[in-house]
Amino acid sequence: MEAIEGKSETPAEMLPNVSALDKIIVAAAGPLFSFLLAFAFAFIVWGVGKPTTEADNTTTIAGLSRLDPRGRPACVRVTRFWKLTAIP
């Protein structure tokens, strides 16, 4: 660890022992803060909005080639839904 943290002035033998409660607190703090971070990101996405494309927000059907007997496309738009007028 000296390569990452550097040389310590206090030898390891002089450091106080870590209690079991301290270990439990550290073990519980990691998942707790991960959960809180997930909630923070969820609130950001909720407030700003999820990015979507035009294809996600439209009901347009492209490339209709079949026509009903009157010469109209087989699908007619009714409000936000499509209704079949002729079934081949």
Side-chain angles (χ1 to χ4, degrees):
M1 293 300 290
E2 287 182 10
I4 297 172
E5 297 177 357
K7 186 81 171 157
S8 176
E9 296 176 5
T10 308
E13 295 81 23
M14 294 183 63
L15 294 174
N17 291 333
V18 180
S19 69
L21 181 61
D22 291 338
K23 291 179 182 181
I24 292 170
I25 291 171
V26 170
L32 174 69
F33 282 103
S34 293
F35 191 70
L36 293 175
L37 184 63
F39 263 108
F41 284 136
F43 278 114
I44 289 171
V45 171
W46 180 41
V48 173
K50 183 179 75 88
T52 58
T53 62
E54 184 180 351
D56 294 336
N57 299 327
T58 185
T59 56
T60 303
I61 298 174
L64 290 176
S65 61
R66 297 195 176 169
L67 301 175
D68 68 1
R70 290 175 270 169
R72 296 184 311 176
C75 290
V76 177
R77 186 170 185 192
V78 177
T79 64
R80 292 188 58 129
F81 305 100
W82 291 87
K83 178 181 173 186
L84 287 175
T85 57
I87 299 174

